[in-house]
Amino acid sequence: MAFERKKTPNENPNTIFWTILQWYWVLIPTFYFLFVVPNMVEGVEGAALELGDVYNIFFQLLNLAFAGILIQTPPLERSRTGVADKILKIAAVQQFLTQNIFGLILALFVWYKLPYRMKPEMVSAEEAEKWYFQPKTLFILTLAVLVLTILAIISQFALI
């Protein structure tokens, strides 16, 4: 076929799903802060927001944290044998706890699409040269986001 495009060894089709999840966790909180929060603040009578709004803002910040974690995950760790496996499983639990069903489905889909193992030849030279967090640091940050989520949910139920 004249227009058929062959894949080069550096192309990994699974990176598109990783990128979609990253952008989902960046764009949704960004739009929330640009469009929803200003309307909330305008409608406030007095000095404080409603408690539910505060929790929603906090959960959006945690989504931004997950976006940062995905951005800082080294390409060689974006596999079932790498730290991405644990990150996405914890992210799925966190998204379930915050009742973000679309985020949960997307995290599980990206986890499902992870390759078993990433080889150095699957990573482009530009990606390999970038600076990333160590896998242990990423795992600790992911656990911290999960713990903060659990504490926020517990405090939410304690205040009801």
Side-chain angles (χ1 to χ4, degrees), residues 20-160:
I20 288 170
L21 184 61
Q22 270 178 218
W23 281 106
Y24 171 75
W25 278 335
V26 168
L27 292 176
I28 296 301
T30 302
F31 288 136
Y32 186 79
F33 291 128
L34 288 175
F35 298 111
V36 176
V37 172
N39 291 334
M40 271 192 272
V41 173
E42 283 179 8
V44 170
E45 294 177 17
L49 291 171
E50 290 184 31
L51 198 55
D53 294 336
V54 173
Y55 283 109
N56 285 334
I57 291 170
F58 183 68
F59 292 144
Q60 293 303 324
L61 288 171
L62 293 178
N63 280 343
L64 282 174
F66 267 128
I69 289 169
L70 290 185
I71 290 167
Q72 285 300 312
T73 302
L76 291 175
E77 293 291 331
R78 296 176 189 169
S79 67
R80 297 258 177 115
T81 56
V83 75
D85 180 64
K86 294 170 190 67
I87 289 172
L88 290 173
K89 287 177 182 176
I90 293 171
V93 170
Q94 190 267 354
Q95 294 293 291
F96 175 76
L97 291 173
T98 59
Q99 300 176 2
N100 185 355
I101 303 304
F102 187 72
L104 166 68
I105 292 169
L106 202 53
L108 289 175
F109 184 75
V110 172
W111 174 81
Y112 178 76
K113 289 293 189 177
L114 282 177
Y116 179 72
R117 182 177 307 256
M118 288 290 287
K119 298 174 186 161
E121 57 268 7
M122 295 171 77
V123 178
S124 69
E126 316 154 336
E127 278 189 314
E129 291 177 4
K130 292 180 183 175
W131 180 82
Y132 297 100
F133 285 169
Q134 295 295 317
K136 188 175 183 178
T137 305
L138 292 167
F139 184 67
I140 291 169
L141 289 172
T142 305
L143 284 177
V145 170
L146 181 63
V147 168
L148 287 172
T149 301
I150 292 170
L151 290 174
I153 290 171
I154 289 171
S155 71
Q156 204 172 12
F157 286 122
L159 294 173
I160 291 179

